[in-house]
Amino acid sequence: MSELAITDLHVEIAGKEILKGVNLQLKTGEIHAIMGPNGTGKSTLSEAIMGNPAYKVTQGSVKLDGQELLDLPVDDRAWPLSLTRPLQKRAAFSIEAGAEFWAKGCVDCDWETALAEHGDLLEKHFGRAANFKENRLLGENVAKMEQGLFVYVPDNVALAEPLTVTYLQDSQKQEDFALHVLLVAGKNAAFSYFEKVASRGDKEATANLVVEICALAGSRVKYAAIDRLGKNTTAYLKRVAWVGRDAKVDWAMGMLSDGKILADYDSDLYGQGARAGMNVIAITIGDKHDDHDDDGDHGHGTKKEDAGRGVDFDQDGKQGQGSQKGIGELAEVAAGRAQLLDKTKLDQPF
């Protein structure tokens, strides 16, 4: 039996004290409801426990089975201790799928619904592709996650029509955007997934997007994404696949964001016949760093194919000095960037 003990906890935000000596003890199996009007500190308590740096703990302790949590970095609180924040925001995404998707027993739902109705699948596959102790940004995605999407295609189900999802990062106000997407393809399943990520507004903001793909034995997943984050959005984009025996994941990504972007793409190949292919095009005005890797050391007969292209522009639209070589074929794409973006229909209301 575990116990969470909060003792004399004082927390302030921007010099204003919000929590003034909270005491609470919770044991395994107990349910406690913390109630009160807006502004009384309910969210402040969870933010402080999770380690949000905007919430300063000035006094007190928070211990789990005797271990002081306030001394731990955010990623160590989130994983493996499995502490998460309450989901409060309405999921800012729209989904388009053919009638066959639901007729064949597939699942697509927000994270809160997934936790309530598909906990067994989440327990089996969440974190299977992404190692949350790999770096702090991955750990913070779990700790700060406000919304997410879970997609499951059962064994032996092949979908003819793609699943299209649009995510909206709200930069009309300064706040973190933390999104986690988990796509699971059952054994011998096959489907295509098209993802569009866009910003609305021009306030300075941060975005942390993690996509996990779990492709079980014999499955086929085609993943395509177009990122169009705003110039004042600083973002970490992590997309990673766990590819099982005789399974294949094909990636195709267009990085069209104008802000500062750190992008990391990985395919981990497990078992004989596991395959992955990757194509990335990057056209950006802001700073961008991308890293992609296909790790095929987990079995004989694995195969990887990848290609990356990038173009950098300065604020006047001139090609930057640090652009990659061998990208002449992208000149036409760069010149027609507006037309390409229009085709993605990212500005249409949900």
Side-chain angles (χ1 to χ4, degrees), residues 84-103:
T84 58
R85 301 167 69 246
L87 303 178
Q88 297 188 28
K89 294 182 181 177
R90 176 181 174 271
F93 58 79
S94 64
I95 301 174
E96 300 176 30
E100 63 170 347
F101 185 87
W102 295 282

Side-chain angles (χ1 to χ4, degrees), residues 68-225:
E68 180 58 70
L69 299 184
L70 300 181
D71 295 335
L72 298 177
V74 172
D75 50 332
D76 283 344
R77 301 187 201 191
W79 194 268
L81 296 179
S82 300
L83 295 175
T84 58
R85 301 167 69 246
L87 303 178
Q88 297 188 28
K89 294 182 181 177
R90 176 181 174 271
F93 58 79
S94 64
I95 301 174
E96 300 176 30
E100 63 170 347
F101 185 87
W102 295 282
K104 293 183 177 181
C106 301
V107 174
D108 69 318
C109 60
D110 60 35
W111 207 246
E112 191 168 10
T113 303
L115 288 168
E117 300 180 6
H118 306 287
D120 55 336
L121 291 172
L122 290 186
E123 184 177 2
K124 182 181 296 185
H125 299 295
F126 180 70
R128 190 173 194 173
N131 176 10
F132 299 115
K133 291 189 70 66
E134 177 182 323
N135 61 60
R136 178 165 293 187
L137 291 172
L138 270 172
E140 287 186 353
N141 179 268
V142 180
K144 296 183 177 181
M145 183 177 65
E146 287 281 8
Q147 52 191 299
L149 175 68
F150 173 62
V151 173
Y152 173 66
V153 178
D155 295 352
N156 303 310
V157 170
L159 300 177
E161 297 184 49
L163 179 67
T164 301
V165 184
T166 301
Y167 302 100
L168 184 63
Q169 181 259 327
D170 190 358
S171 287
Q172 296 180 108
K173 51 187 176 181
Q174 289 184 313
E175 64 178 13
D176 294 336
F177 175 76
L179 174 72
H180 197 102
V181 179
L182 175 60
L183 311 177
V184 179
K187 295 178 180 179
N188 301 310
F191 70 95
S192 298
Y193 172 92
F194 180 34
E195 175 179 281
K196 298 178 282 186
V197 184
S199 295
R200 177 177 62 188
D202 57 4
K203 299 288 187 181
E204 290 189 358
T206 63
N208 187 318
L209 168 64
V210 174
V211 176
E212 293 187 80
I213 299 177
C214 294
L216 304 189
S219 64
R220 299 288 186 272
V221 178
K222 292 184 178 180
Y223 175 98

